[in-house]
Amino acid sequence: MERQWFLESISTDGSRVTHTITQLPFRVGRDPENDLVVPTLGLSRHHALLTPDISGRIRLTDLNSTNGSFVNRRRIDGSCLLDENDIVHFGTAEFRLRLRQKDQAHLLSASDMHTMLVPIGMELSELFVPNEAEFLDLLDGHAISGAAQPIVTMQDRTIFAYELLGRANHPLLPAAPIRLFELASMLDREEELSMAFRKFGLTVIAPRLKGFPLFANTHPKETFSEAFFTSLVSLRRTLPDLDLVIEIHETAVTETRRLLELVARLNDIGVRFAFDDFGAGQARLNELGEAPAHFVKFDIGLIHDIHLASARKQRVVRDLVKLVLDLGSVPLAEGIEMEAEAQICQDMGFQLIQGFLTGKPIPVENI
């Protein structure tokens, strides 16, 4: 059954108004080119951005707005993941994030099945996932592809490592991984897609990048599964010299005790780990203090246009970098696209950077 996100607001007469999130990314601001135009003086022209997350939730990113974005009345710095019924303020404009399941038509018995006209306004049922057969072929290794994006040192911009990225190479399937995970979510196959991407990256791409640490993503659903740990043990036996860094998604761990268990098992297997999207949530600070990661990848929402950000936000990021360094972890700035961003990140103490400025993802056939 298809899910539909929408924003709900209350008009001056007390009636409720719904704003359907027709597509993601979904932009909010005063400028007419936004998907949701809010003509309120407290909003910036390009105020905030809603994007899909691999976990199936929506991520809110504040675009360095003047008056800020708030989730449940707490101001966010950078981005955060949203839950159904969260109260979101763009400046002073208040909304509630809602989710509805699109209604399904009643199933007919074989004797009742005839060709019929569908009345105007009636939604057709969606009982089958489009391109399911092609997606299942992808899980079996057909038409799967990938890329590798450089991670470079801040000081001299030399390549330090690569992040392995999954792709599809099929005309009937989306190439972008986030779209593929949306399809996987409809089929409840997210773990299998994540493992298929990782297997391709480590068997096809890794041999071409010998000598470099390789960062590999995980899906929140697989983080504590035995199949996940078994695959890492098998990988370690096959590639004993591989320097692998597992990226842990911010929604994967909500309890410090479970994180400590995860870290212990990864240490036993002989792989390092990185916190991904650091700074997007509140609990990360506690987790980082209890189980410092080898690498901490700062959320792109914190880094985007950091050179234009307020002194308050820059101070927050600078303090977080110092905390990471004090704990013995390596801070990494993601999503760097401009030299001005890189320069202020260097001043803040970041040791690694990743982004289009220093290297776009390289398709496997070009590695």
Side-chain angles (χ1 to χ4, degrees), residues 279-296:
Q282 298 295 324
R284 266 296 177 246
L285 295 175
N286 293 331
E287 297 165 0
L288 186 64
E290 293 293 333
H294 298 90
F295 302 91
V296 177

Side-chain angles (χ1 to χ4, degrees), residues 12 24 53 75 96 120 147 191 205 207 246 263 274 277 332-333:
T12 54
L24 294 169
D53 186 76
R75 184 167 184 165
R96 184 190 297 272
I120 295 175
E191 296 177 57
I205 300 179
I246 293 294
V263 171
D277 297 324
L332 186 159

Side-chain angles (χ1 to χ4, degrees), residues 79 151 162 173 255 277 287:
S79 73
I151 297 172
Y162 287 90
L173 292 176
E255 299 178 15
D277 297 324
E287 297 165 0

Side-chain angles (χ1 to χ4, degrees), residues 7 26-50 60-63 65 69 90-91 93 95:
L7 291 169
F26 188 83
R27 296 182 178 274
V28 180
R30 286 191 296 110
D31 196 287
E33 68 183 27
N34 288 287
D35 300 293
L36 175 58
V37 180
V38 185
T40 302
L41 292 179
L43 264 74
S44 299
R45 292 179 61 248
H46 302 284
H47 195 99
L49 179 68
L50 300 177
L60 167 65
T61 300
D62 183 80
L63 300 178
S65 63
S69 299
F90 305 110
F95 297 85

Side-chain angles (χ1 to χ4, degrees), residues 37-330:
V37 180
V38 185
T40 302
L41 292 179
L43 264 74
S44 299
R45 292 179 61 248
H46 302 284
H47 195 99
L49 179 68
L50 300 177
T51 55
D53 186 76
I54 193 174
S55 63
R57 294 155 68 186
I58 286 182
R59 179 179 295 277
L60 167 65
T61 300
D62 183 80
L63 300 178
N64 289 322
S65 63
T66 302
N67 293 317
S69 299
F70 302 78
V71 176
N72 299 323
R73 295 178 173 79
R74 297 185 65 175
R75 184 167 184 165
I76 68 169
D77 286 301
S79 73
C80 72
L81 290 175
L82 299 178
D83 290 310
E84 183 181 4
N85 295 320
D86 275 347
I87 297 173
V88 180
H89 282 80
F90 305 110
T92 58
E94 182 178 4
F95 297 85
R96 184 190 297 272
L97 182 68
R98 303 297 299 275
L99 177 66
R100 60 170 167 248
Q101 307 288 347
K102 288 190 176 180
D103 293 335
Q104 305 290 346
H106 293 293
L107 293 176
L108 299 176
S109 65
S111 61
D112 293 330
M113 290 184 181
H114 305 285
T115 301
M116 63 186 74
L117 296 177
V118 178
I120 295 175
M122 176 180 175
E123 293 183 346
L124 296 176
S125 62
E126 298 182 40
L127 303 178
F128 299 98
V129 176
N131 306 119
E132 179 177 353
E134 291 80 9
F135 179 80
L136 295 179
D137 284 341
L138 183 75
L139 295 184
D140 288 334
H142 304 291
I144 196 168
S145 187
Q149 186 174 24
I151 297 172
V152 307
T153 58
M154 180 64 81
Q155 293 295 332
D156 56 14
R157 307 292 173 87
T158 59
I159 296 177
F160 168 79
Y162 287 90
E163 179 180 354
L164 302 177
L165 305 169
R167 299 285 189 271
N169 187 22
H170 193 290
L172 298 181
L173 292 176
I178 191 66
R179 302 302 176 195
L180 290 168
F181 273 104
E182 289 175 357
L183 184 57
S185 177
M186 297 172 69
L187 295 167
D188 195 23
R189 310 292 284 268
E190 301 100 310
E191 296 177 57
E192 294 171 69
L193 179 60
S194 180
M195 288 189 179
F197 278 155
R198 195 163 53 249
K199 179 180 178 180
F200 179 87
L202 295 173
T203 57
V204 178
I205 300 179
R208 308 182 188 195
L209 299 172
K210 290 183 177 179
F212 292 100
L214 299 179
F215 286 61
N217 291 286
T218 58
H219 190 275
K221 282 190 174 182
E222 67 173 329
T223 307
F224 293 97
S225 70
E226 286 303 319
F228 169 63
F229 293 115
T230 299
S231 68
L232 292 182
V233 171
S234 176
L235 172 70
R236 174 56 63 210
R237 291 171 181 166
T238 306
L239 302 170
D241 297 327
L242 178 65
D243 187 356
L244 179 62
V245 180
I246 293 294
E247 296 191 18
I248 304 301
H249 191 270
E250 67 165 311
T251 62
V253 181
T254 57
E255 299 178 15
T256 302
R257 176 184 59 81
R258 297 212 71 188
L259 175 62
L260 292 172
E261 294 173 0
L262 173 64
V263 171
R265 296 196 68 170
L266 293 178
N267 286 337
D268 290 341
I269 297 171
V271 299
R272 294 187 286 177
F273 80 103
F275 277 137
D276 198 13
D277 297 324
F278 177 71
Q282 298 295 324
R284 266 296 177 246
L285 295 175
N286 293 331
E287 297 165 0
L288 186 64
E290 293 293 333
H294 298 90
F295 302 91
V296 177
K297 303 186 75 172
F298 275 63
D299 175 53
I300 191 172
L302 285 176
I303 303 302
H304 177 70
D305 280 345
I306 188 64
H307 61 298
L308 302 177
S310 65
R312 173 185 177 276
K313 180 176 179 179
Q314 290 186 9
R315 183 170 62 253
V316 168
V317 177
R318 190 183 300 274
D319 290 345
L320 287 174
V321 173
K322 183 178 184 302
L323 171 65
V324 168
L325 290 169
D326 289 345
L327 292 173
S329 302
V330 177

